[in-house]
Amino acid sequence: MSLAVRVIPCLDVDAGRVVKGVNFAGLRDAGDPVELARRYDAQGADEITFLDVSASAAGRDTTLEVVRATAEQVFVPLTVGGGVRGVDDVERLLRAGADKVGVNSAAVARPEVIAEIADRFGRQVLVLSVDARRCPPGTSTDSGWEVTTHGGRRGTGIDAVEWAARGAGLGAGEVLLNSMDADGTKDGFDVAMLRAVRAVVDVPLVASGGAGELAHFAPAVAAGADAVLAASVFHFGQLGVGDVKAALAAAGHPVRVADR
């Protein structure tokens, strides 16, 4: 029997509030993270992801408090990312109540940190967050996608598909693949990129970036995603978690039915 497809609301947290924009720009307030997390837990979310979009020292302190408050209120796994530089940051987040921790820029800068975190805490704790975009004109990689850092503002020239495979090989237990071109646009997931990464990694793959309507979710799963992540459509009431699960089930994909 296939594993149930996970539906994951994502909370981009800045200074203690959830924000959302398009391509990580034009951020607007979307609410209180603890209240939103409680709502999604009640709707049957399989997990909740927090991303600290400011990732400053002050932001990290704020995020720790948000994680603590949320862990007391909800009963689904919490993944926290943004500004994680090494094992000490991971330990602080786990102590605050996170179940999994995402790494991005720090792993690009020093790939060994993936193995260090996996060796210390187990690979099931570590999510490699890959912010990828199609290569801009005049640049290229073998796959046609490159890794970006700093909220998609800096290109690295690193092939995104090769990086996902390398990260999984170093010990990442999961890959969160976020299309920076699609982020916040509500135009649909980048299924071609998902398919390319699925072909080279054997760990769970989370699709992120571009969810705008119910019809967008099943194609991401068909392309190889084990989980689908969305933000705007949930925060602003366009869709509920149950709506997405019903659409996935109608398309023949197994989902966990909320029992509360």
Side-chain angles (χ1 to χ4, degrees), residues 37-50:
R38 190 186 300 120
R39 179 201 303 171
Y40 300 141
D41 182 41
Q43 289 181 2
D46 298 294
E47 298 179 14
I48 292 171
T49 292
F50 289 97

Side-chain angles (χ1 to χ4, degrees), residues 132-137 139 143-146 179-181 190-193:
R133 69 180 179 191
R134 292 185 181 274
C135 293
T139 67
S143 71
W145 292 280
E146 73 165 338
S179 169
M180 301 309 295
D181 298 315
D190 189 332
V191 293
M193 186 168 66

Side-chain angles (χ1 to χ4, degrees), residues 11-20 27-36 50-54 62-63 66:
L11 309 179
D12 296 318
V13 179
D14 183 14
R17 298 289 294 180
V18 176
V19 296
K20 194 58 193 170
L27 299 179
R28 59 176 170 147
D29 189 279
D32 176 76
V34 179
E35 290 179 7
L36 287 173
F50 289 97
L51 296 179
D52 177 357
V53 298
S54 57
T62 300
T63 301
V66 170

